[in-house]
Amino acid sequence: MSARKAKPTSDALRLIGYTRVSTAEQADSGAGLAAQREAISAAANNNAWKLVRIVEDAGLSAKSLDRPGLTDALASIERGEADGLVVSKLDRLSRSLLDFATLMERSRKKGWALVALDLGVDTSTPSGELMANVLATFAQFERRLIGQRTKDALAVKKAEGVQLGRPRAVDDKTVQRIIRMRRRGLSLAAIASKLTAEGTPTARGGTEWRASTVQYVLGYANEVG
């Protein structure tokens, strides 16, 4: 199904307003629903937009885009009932640049406009689209930072001998030997040294055992036992 094309710029832009407050923000007049509606209505009047309606999500956080009001608004837009979405502040829509970039890409593919009044984002205009692309660049930077942090954290865990990914099988005979040695009072390090000296295969197929690996096997054995 092809994306719906936006209306010609000579026509009044039909927009659905979106407002949101979390439970903690409901008492804050500056972030309240009424203040957001007023800002959206004023902008629509100043820009000769046609404000189709304003939807809201009250008492919901911006951690996810999965919100009833927002879902309804986007569905209406993509059915052709409006040409785009307008919010008074970007953080009413999302506090995550990654989520914003995802939504902006969706609007680009589907052919509708995305407007955030506080940042001058209006993808129906060249300057607003440029601003949106700048934010998308920061979102990509954020995505790479998260990826690098995850990679660094996994490297530290691996260096500490922590088992990563899905549990791999250690044969039952080895598991039972480890349990017996532990019951006899051997330390984790002593068990690891003994298994390494004997060349006993680890779950990864190597022969070097660590105390943390022995502890992992014991913990897994307790869970399944």
Side-chain angles (χ1 to χ4, degrees):
M1 183 176 179
S2 60
R4 180 181 59 81
K5 294 184 178 179
K7 289 169 65 67
T9 54
S10 59
D11 292 347
L13 197 64
R14 302 172 303 151
L15 297 176
I16 292 178
Y18 176 73
T19 62
R20 180 197 64 80
V21 289
S22 67
T23 301
E25 293 167 332
Q26 289 188 26
D28 184 347
S29 59
L33 295 172
Q36 294 175 57
R37 287 194 295 268
E38 183 178 345
I40 290 172
S41 297
N45 183 60
N46 293 336
N47 291 280
W49 296 330
K50 180 180 179 181
L51 193 57
V52 177
R53 60 191 173 99
I54 297 178
V55 299
E56 67 179 50
D57 279 314
L60 295 176
S61 76
K63 292 181 180 180
S64 167
L65 293 176
D66 185 16
R67 289 167 246 148
L70 180 59
T71 298
D72 176 62
L74 296 179
S76 295
I77 292 168
E78 292 176 0
R79 284 196 301 266
E81 297 170 10
D83 305 308
L85 186 76
V86 56
V87 294
S88 62
K89 296 181 179 181
L90 182 60
D91 67 0
R92 301 302 88 197
L93 184 60
S94 173
R95 293 186 184 277
S96 165
L97 281 179
L98 295 180
D99 283 345
F100 169 73
T102 298
L103 194 57
M104 189 179 72
E105 180 62 15
R106 175 176 172 178
S107 75
R108 185 188 67 78
K109 289 181 177 179
K110 299 288 186 179
W112 50 268
L114 185 58
V115 182
L117 300 178
D118 62 329
L119 296 181
V121 171
D122 179 353
T123 58
S124 70
T125 68
S127 59
E129 186 175 11
L130 175 62
M131 186 61 180
N133 287 329
V134 170
L135 291 175
T137 299
F138 278 102
Q140 176 64 21
F141 177 64
E142 181 183 354
R143 185 181 292 109
R144 293 188 66 180
L145 280 180
I146 292 172
Q148 186 61 50
R149 291 191 195 106
T150 301
K151 182 179 178 181
D152 291 345
L154 290 175
V156 170
K157 292 292 185 182
K158 185 176 181 180
E160 292 174 348
V162 175
Q163 179 84 18
L164 302 176
R166 296 176 60 187
R168 299 188 180 215
V170 174
D171 66 82
D172 291 340
K173 183 178 179 181
T174 300
V175 173
Q176 292 305 315
R177 281 195 65 213
I178 291 174
I179 293 173
R180 287 196 298 271
M181 285 189 284
R182 186 61 171 163
R183 286 174 177 171
R184 290 201 304 269
L186 273 69
S187 68
L188 298 176
I191 295 172
S193 296
K194 185 173 181 61
L195 293 173
T196 298
E198 295 174 351
T200 303
T202 66
R204 293 180 177 273
T207 56
E208 183 178 355
W209 288 78
R210 297 173 182 266
S212 58
T213 310
V214 174
Q215 187 175 35
Y216 173 82
V217 172
L218 288 169
Y220 182 71
N222 287 333
E223 288 180 8
V224 299

